[in-house]
Amino acid sequence: MKAFHAYDIRGIYNKEFNRNDVYKIGFFLPQLLNAKKVLVGRDVRESSPEIFQFLCKGITDSGADVYNAGLATTPMIYWSTAKYGFDASVMITASHNSKEYNGLKISRTDALPVGYDNGLKDIETKIFNKEEINVSIKKGKVLEFDVKEAYLNFQKQYLKDFSNLKIAIDCSNGMAGLLIKDLLKNNLFYINEEPDGTFPNHEPNPLIIENVRQLRNLVRKEKCDIGIIFDGDADRVMFTDENGVFISPDLIIAVLAHYFLEEKDLRGNVLQDIRTSKSVPEYIEKFGSEMHIWRVGRAYASLKF
């Protein structure tokens, strides 16, 4: 199936995968991960409610329970998976892709990712071979599971005083808008903060420079110190400087070195994917840590060490 990739299931909905595929993924998932409870969150894309419906039907037909986190960011689901001891979770999202896409990001115990090499291939094979589905005599239930407030409290412990900064934020009409004003309050410059799965202002991919144009203009107009832009499911964040100039994401790794390696006095291995420039590892090595370059994707990164 075209929708199965190295570290998630993703494609044009009703073309590269459909609700029948989603049902089967839901049915086979609890057995694959030996899970009796599956946490499920979703983004605001127009196809997400239907995917949620058929995913839940598959999970509950297998005999497992669904814990419905509702609308969520991907990091919220990762955090909740580990925090509350779920052996399986699914975030329904196509991340930074345009509106016609959707997908499933699957995690296992301790929020470790399930990629093609450690689970997704098995599910794909079952679907391709039309493995028989025997609905459980005792079906599972769908239970509401609100984690928003707990997750916000977790985030707030890391906030510092930034009242001296003028900050512009573009939520890309994605899931960052679900939390951002509760977390950072209203005294900032926001655009596209209402979640809208049609992405009416620009596609939710900050790596495409045209999608950063509104933020760049806002930074210049309001004379902000920094611009911040999120992708569709809020697991990527990127920045502009005070002139609206886009900052290459790999350079932020070097900035984070000051926090983790200097302020927190941590040393050891630092992992960055192959898209980084040579200047980043050279800079980080000055802090006494060793830089490792690895394959792109969270599923691969989690398996490196």
Side-chain angles (χ1 to χ4, degrees):
M1 289 176 63
K2 289 183 178 180
F4 280 76
H5 300 288
Y7 41 89
D8 66 0
I9 300 166
R10 192 187 313 181
I12 298 174
Y13 189 58
N14 285 327
K15 182 178 180 181
E16 295 177 322
F17 75 113
N18 58 36
R19 65 189 191 179
N20 295 323
D21 301 318
V22 171
Y23 171 81
K24 293 171 184 176
I25 291 166
F27 186 86
F28 294 127
L29 181 63
Q31 179 184 359
L32 174 72
L33 299 181
N34 192 28
K36 297 296 184 183
K37 303 184 301 181
V38 183
L39 177 66
V40 179
R42 64 186 186 276
D43 71 12
V44 75
R45 291 168 188 268
E46 292 185 310
S47 58
S48 289
E50 180 174 283
I51 292 175
F52 174 77
Q53 176 188 351
F54 282 85
L55 179 71
C56 289
K57 181 171 173 52
I59 293 169
T60 54
D61 277 1
S62 77
D65 292 332
V66 171
Y67 283 68
N68 175 23
L71 292 176
T73 68
T74 292
M76 184 192 301
I77 296 303
Y78 290 159
W79 177 82
S80 301
T81 303
K83 173 70 174 178
Y84 298 106
F86 286 94
D87 291 319
S89 69
V90 182
M91 177 63 186
I92 300 168
T93 184
S95 188
H96 58 277
N97 290 110
S98 52
K99 62 183 180 180
E100 66 271 21
Y101 285 80
N102 215 323
L104 308 167
K105 291 184 177 180
I106 299 173
S107 299
R108 54 188 172 91
T109 306
D110 296 327
L112 291 171
V114 176
Y116 194 76
D117 294 336
N118 69 336
L120 296 187
K121 181 180 180 180
D122 295 335
I123 293 178
E124 182 187 39
T125 299
K126 289 177 183 292
I127 295 173
F128 181 80
N129 291 336
K130 298 181 180 180
E131 184 167 317
E132 186 176 358
I133 290 177
N134 296 307
V135 176
S136 174
I137 297 173
K138 185 179 180 181
K139 291 186 180 182
K141 303 179 293 295
V142 178
L143 307 167
E144 298 304 307
F145 194 70
D146 187 359
V147 299
K148 180 179 177 182
E149 208 58 41
Y151 182 66
L152 276 170
N153 289 335
F154 165 75
Q155 293 276 19
K156 287 175 181 177
Q157 68 179 312
Y158 297 102
L159 282 178
K160 293 187 177 182
D161 181 18
F162 54 87
S163 58
N164 62 322
L165 295 176
K166 292 181 71 175
I167 302 174
I169 299 179
D170 185 350
C171 297
S172 301
N173 293 113
M175 299 317 299
L178 183 71
L179 303 171
I180 198 75
K181 289 186 177 180
D182 289 329
L183 183 64
L184 302 180
K185 305 306 178 186
N186 293 316
N187 56 339
L188 307 177
F189 298 95
Y190 292 99
I191 53 173
N192 308 325
E193 67 268 35
E194 291 297 324
D196 183 337
T198 68
F199 305 113
N201 296 292
H202 61 74
E203 289 186 0
N205 185 355
L207 278 175
I208 298 175
I209 197 64
E210 175 59 24
N211 297 334
V212 191
R213 179 177 52 81
Q214 287 180 297
L215 177 65
R216 297 172 69 191
N217 291 340
L218 180 61
V219 168
R220 293 163 181 161
K221 176 185 175 183
E222 301 296 343
K223 296 181 171 56
C224 292
D225 299 295
I226 189 172
I228 302 172
I229 184 169
F230 293 90
D231 75 341
D233 61 336
D235 68 348
R236 296 186 187 185
V237 59
M238 298 178 195
F239 305 88
T240 75
D241 66 14
E242 70 277 11
N243 297 311
V245 176
F246 184 71
I247 301 171
S248 179
D250 66 322
L251 299 182
I252 301 301
I253 301 295
V255 174
L256 288 172
H258 286 276
Y259 175 79
F260 288 106
L261 306 180
E262 188 174 56
E263 184 176 332
K264 293 296 182 181
D265 197 28
L266 297 174
R267 295 294 184 269
N269 296 304
V270 177
L271 192 64
Q272 173 65 17
D273 69 46
I274 56 175
R275 296 170 295 186
T276 189
S277 61
K278 291 182 179 180
S279 61
V280 174
E282 291 173 356
Y283 184 79
I284 285 178
E285 286 169 359
K286 295 178 181 179
F287 292 91
S289 290
E290 185 177 355
M291 191 81 169
H292 293 260
I293 309 300
W294 194 235
R295 300 171 71 177
V296 175
R298 177 174 174 266
Y300 294 121
S302 68
L303 300 174
K304 174 61 176 172
F305 293 108

